[in-house]
Amino acid sequence: MTHDDGADDLGGVEAGDHAGAEGSDEAGDEAGDAGQQAEHRWPMALATLTAGVLHQFLPADFLVSPRWIFPAFLVVFLGVLIAGDPGLIDRQRPWLKVTTGLMIALIAVVNAVTAIRLVRGILWGQSFEAAGPLLAVGAIVWTTNIIIFALWFWDFDGGGASARAAAHHRGAAAFVFPEMSNPDLVPPRWTPQFVDYLTLSFNTATAFGPTDVSALRRSAKLMMIAESSISLALATLVVARAVNIM
């Protein structure tokens, strides 16, 4: 082998090492971006536990029996989710998606049962002899409903939190947030997190329609219609009955 051949081989090795290093750096940067996008679980966990705690303040006639079973199930669901995806929410596993959906469905069913009992008590003039307890139950059902739809929006949009955190995720978004139209005003690779969906749910329940966030998919629009309708009907019935009692 000549000296020139040896130099060429050495140069090729160095170039390959340099390219490999650059590739590793790029992969590391992409992983870092994905990690920065992933969100913490504690905001949705706090909202979930809040729904369980609020239920405990309901009168006995509106509680799921036995009293402890609903919050106990919520704690179990959260424990399974945290054990399966500790730290940031960045693991895409079908069973984690199913577990999250079942937990949200449980909260929705329990709140629906309470709402039905509330409406029955209002329409048939039972359960309430004073406006205070009626307004308290109505406020708990209304607040829990906001939490439920926030969780649905959060788990539905773009395939869920873990899918949104993927480095090259291009899933179909269900909502357009103002930050998406103003990329210069937000951090790079910004993605909506639970607090953004909680704000969306609160605005939908109070304004009875979209505000700064637009729904793109028909299913998302139907979800917003459902939340607005429930909120409007609940507020109308509770306030009207409370005024009648006073």
Side-chain angles (χ1 to χ4, degrees):
M1 177 182 295
T2 65
H3 177 71
D4 292 340
D5 292 338
D8 291 341
D9 292 341
L10 180 60
V13 172
E14 291 177 349
D17 292 342
H18 181 67
E22 289 183 348
S24 299
D25 291 341
E26 291 176 357
D29 290 341
E30 290 177 357
D33 289 341
Q36 291 175 358
Q37 278 191 297
E39 61 180 291
H40 294 278
R41 188 174 294 279
W42 70 262
M44 65 81 61
L46 180 60
T48 300
L49 293 176
T50 299
V53 171
L54 285 175
H55 186 75
Q56 302 306 301
F57 286 96
L58 290 169
D61 293 342
F62 297 89
L63 282 171
V64 173
S65 184
R67 190 186 193 100
W68 55 268
I69 194 167
F70 176 51
F73 267 104
L74 294 182
V75 171
V76 171
F77 273 122
L78 287 174
V80 171
L81 291 173
I82 293 172
D85 189 7
L88 299 176
I89 306 176
D90 54 7
R91 293 185 182 179
Q92 298 188 59
R93 301 288 188 273
W95 70 269
L96 288 172
K97 183 76 172 175
V98 171
T99 302
T100 302
L102 290 174
M103 182 185 71
I104 301 172
L106 172 64
I107 304 174
V109 169
V110 170
N111 199 54
V113 171
T114 303
I116 291 172
R117 292 175 179 175
L118 173 62
V119 172
R120 185 178 61 188
I122 292 174
L123 296 179
W124 276 271
Q126 301 171 352
S127 303
F128 301 106
E129 297 179 356
L134 170 61
L135 293 173
V137 174
I140 290 174
V141 173
W142 183 79
T143 303
T144 305
N145 196 57
I146 291 177
I147 295 174
I148 292 168
F149 276 94
L151 289 168
W152 281 130
F153 295 153
W154 170 80
D155 190 52
F156 174 71
D157 187 27
S162 59
R164 291 191 298 271
H168 298 291
H169 175 64
R170 294 293 183 271
F175 301 99
V176 175
F177 290 83
E179 291 85 350
M180 296 176 178
S181 303
N182 299 277
D184 295 337
L185 302 179
V186 295
R189 300 181 62 79
W190 181 91
T191 55
Q193 299 188 0
F194 180 75
V195 173
D196 300 295
Y197 297 100
L198 182 62
T199 303
L200 168 61
S201 181
F202 178 81
N203 289 340
T204 303
T206 53
F208 307 123
T211 52
D212 60 335
V213 180
S214 300
L216 294 179
R217 298 171 63 178
R218 293 187 179 92
S219 50
K221 295 175 182 180
L222 291 174
M223 292 170 69
M224 294 181 72
I225 290 174
E227 182 179 11
S228 296
S229 301
I230 293 171
S231 180
L232 179 60
L234 184 65
T236 302
L237 287 172
V238 170
V239 173
R241 178 59 179 164
V243 171
N244 187 47
I245 294 175
M246 290 179 177

